[in-house]
Amino acid sequence: MPELDSDLRALQEVRDAVARARRACEDARAWDQARTDRVCEAMARAGAGAAGDLARLAVEETGIGRVHYKILKNLFGSEGTWESIRDEKTVGIITRDQAKGLYEVAAPVGVVAGIVPTTNPTSTALFKSLIAVKGRNAIVLSPHPRARRCIKETAEVLRRAIERAGGPPDLVQCLTNPTIESTGALMKDRGVALILATGGGGLVRAAYSSGKPAYGVGPGNVPCYVDRSADVPQAAKWVTASQSFDNATLCCSEQALVLDEPIADRMISELVARGAHLCDDRELELLSSYANKGGMMNPDLVGRDPHWVAQQAGFEVPRETTILLCPQGGVGKEWPLSIEVLCPLLSVHRVEGWRAGCETSTSLLKFGGLGHTLSLWSREEEVIDAFLLEKPANRILVNGPSSQGAVGFSSHLMPSFSLGCGPQAGNITSDNITAKHLINIKRAARPRRDWEEIDRAAHERARTLGGEAAPRGSGLNGDPALSVASSQPKAPAMSTSAPIAPAPVDAVRPAQRSQARALPKPRPQRANLPTFTRPAEGSTAALVLERPHAPAHPTGGSPSTTQAPEVGAALNPNEIQSIMSQAGAGCPLGPCAGCPHHEVTTGACKA
């Protein structure tokens, strides 16, 4: 038998993985909070224990970033993530407000498709798996092809931890043969409930167009404004540390320095003292050609050391260089280095005053970073407030590093490697995505204690505006539905002395149905119509049909149509039609004749 085509094999792997994940979800659905937390804690410990090995494997496979910082990210993605969600309730009744009669109940969403990028492969896999299982979900990881091995090993670490904790290891799975087609198939698979996408703009758009609920992220062209009131040495220290944090591979790292003119030279001097290199015009031209390819960042330089980037561009800098500083005269296509570049390279923009700094920062955000992150250094509350209120960024870091701050490492923002950018960037949320985004919240509510007073007051107001005092069904005095019901005669009470056997449906007569409808008053019988004799109260006898006596037979003797009273006698069609013409007056639907609920052949009323 010929070997299966690689693309078909990848698609089959998707189907198999989703099927196994769904079965694992069914197992986890019955867990309580304590068991869920035991499994998650085991995952976090395992991820932290393997942080060093996974970091080295990630750098070796992708060539992106630095091992020391990958270790920090892995520790943060496992222990840091778990610490932030440890006490979060994600199972059963999670809130109970007795005073208001409100309850919230957490339920899992199901199978999550986790798309993992090459920039932060192992830490993102740890993070996404933890927040998924915390909600009793399963996750199928689709790794970037350049990081398939390190992400697969990360998934294996977590699977073994889950199994040791007594859970199904298929709660975490990783595709071993990822392709563009298989990633698309995963996102569209009927068994997938939700997509958690981290990657480029094209991937995020594909996630949102898959027809499934999706959390995506936008690009970040993060401005860092340094005001004349700033603590310049501190700003230089933490900007350098942020750019050095895994070679600025996080999309929330600073991309552009916006320097207030009075402190611009001093800020640059402080950065140079910390290993930065200020590029001259020739070097800027070389970098512009290398870093910007058709208006997009050259993917080859992502996460690379500054000296390597300079060498590839065509000039040399010391190996100890921390940042490449690239002065630009503005923002836009004519300034090639004002785009997002995920390596230690910063465009530099000089402005006069914080209002000009606001304008330049806004331009940078609109040029590829709308809704993402902004960094600000100032000691003037007026300046800080203006940036908080006016800038189209959903994470604003004040007097601290942007890379570590936006993900919640150096700040009290929710720890996350998936940063929503809000509707400005086409994202469904501006939150740092975490466990609460991967559960369904069901809500139950009791009536308000003052509901009857509110109801009466609302009806009174409507009566004043519309003139109707008691509309049908309102239950107020004068409700016409209540008036009709009160005028109907009550059905005769049934005796409890002896049980009455129910008659078959097709034996029910029109007269029996008419009696059940409780006519308001008896109608006079027409000539030659059969009459019904009601049994005495308490009797178990059925209704008795009595046919009228026909005229004497011309030849004498007893006429053939003259019969004794019958029980259960059949009616002929003419008799049924005659009864129909006068029956049903007590039915709220009106007379039987022509009524869609009436069966002519059996006399049964289906209403």
Side-chain angles (χ1 to χ4, degrees), residues 33 37 84-90 134 414 434-436:
Q33 189 71 67
D37 291 346
S84 69
I85 63 176
R86 179 199 304 272
D87 298 325
E88 191 167 335
K89 293 182 178 180
T90 56
K134 175 69 172 178
M414 198 66 182
T434 186
K436 72 177 183 180

Side-chain angles (χ1 to χ4, degrees), residues 62-137:
T62 66
I64 293 174
R66 302 161 67 184
V67 171
H68 177 86
Y69 292 100
K70 293 288 189 196
I71 294 173
L72 290 179
K73 285 183 176 179
N74 288 339
L75 292 172
F76 180 67
S78 52
E79 289 181 341
T81 300
W82 173 237
E83 189 64 32
S84 69
I85 63 176
R86 179 199 304 272
D87 298 325
E88 191 167 335
K89 293 182 178 180
T90 56
V91 179
I93 299 176
I94 57 177
T95 65
R96 192 193 304 263
D97 188 332
Q98 297 285 14
K100 293 183 178 179
L102 290 175
Y103 308 87
E104 291 184 331
V105 182
V109 298
V111 178
V112 177
I115 317 302
V116 184
T118 186
T119 47
N120 311 294
T122 54
S123 53
T124 302
L126 290 167
F127 157 74
K128 288 187 175 182
S129 299
L130 261 175
I131 65 173
V133 176
K134 175 69 172 178
R136 295 177 294 163
N137 307 299

Side-chain angles (χ1 to χ4, degrees), residues 2 14 76 97 156-157 199 309 321 390 432 440 461 471 507 521 551 591:
V14 169
F76 180 67
D97 188 332
E156 286 302 317
V157 168
V309 174
T321 300
E390 298 173 10
N432 283 15
N440 283 327
R461 187 176 182 188
K521 59 182 180 180

Side-chain angles (χ1 to χ4, degrees), residues 255-340:
Q255 299 294 318
L257 283 177
V258 182
L259 304 179
D260 199 357
E261 192 61 49
I263 54 87
D265 291 335
R266 185 154 57 103
M267 181 68 180
I268 291 173
S269 296
E270 289 283 350
L271 290 171
V272 169
R274 294 180 177 277
H277 174 79
L278 182 62
C279 297
D280 58 27
D281 291 343
R282 183 184 71 88
E283 294 166 344
L284 287 174
E285 186 175 350
L286 292 171
L287 276 175
S288 296
S289 299
Y290 175 69
N292 188 319
K293 299 295 185 182
M296 304 294 291
M297 168 182 56
N298 182 351
D300 293 339
L301 57 72
V302 173
R304 295 290 190 168
D305 293 332
H307 79 273
W308 187 94
V309 174
Q311 189 178 59
Q312 297 301 309
F315 64 97
E316 298 291 333
V317 297
R319 294 184 65 87
E320 297 78 18
T321 300
T322 54
I323 307 172
L324 298 174
L325 299 175
C326 304
Q328 300 285 283
V331 178
K333 294 180 179 179
E334 61 274 22
W335 302 101
L337 297 178
S338 63
I339 64 171
E340 178 189 40

Side-chain angles (χ1 to χ4, degrees), residues 221-226 258 351 353-366 369-377 382-398 421-422 424 430:
N221 194 23
V222 179
C224 174
Y225 173 68
V226 185
V258 182
V351 297
W354 67 266
R355 289 181 176 83
C358 271
E359 294 176 3
T360 301
S361 296
T362 300
S363 298
L364 286 161
L365 288 168
K366 290 181 177 179
L370 200 60
H372 206 292
T373 302
L374 178 143
S375 177
L376 166 67
W377 290 86
E382 178 189 8
V383 175
I384 294 173
D385 288 350
F387 273 78
L388 298 182
L389 294 170
E390 298 173 10
K391 297 292 124 339
N394 291 306
R395 275 159 295 276
I396 299 178
L397 287 309
V398 180
C421 298
Q424 305 105 309
S430 60

Side-chain angles (χ1 to χ4, degrees), residues 421-441:
C421 298
Q424 305 105 309
N427 295 169
I428 194 62
T429 182
S430 60
D431 289 347
N432 283 15
I433 306 301
T434 186
K436 72 177 183 180
H437 297 92
L438 302 186
I439 56 175
N440 283 327
I441 303 294

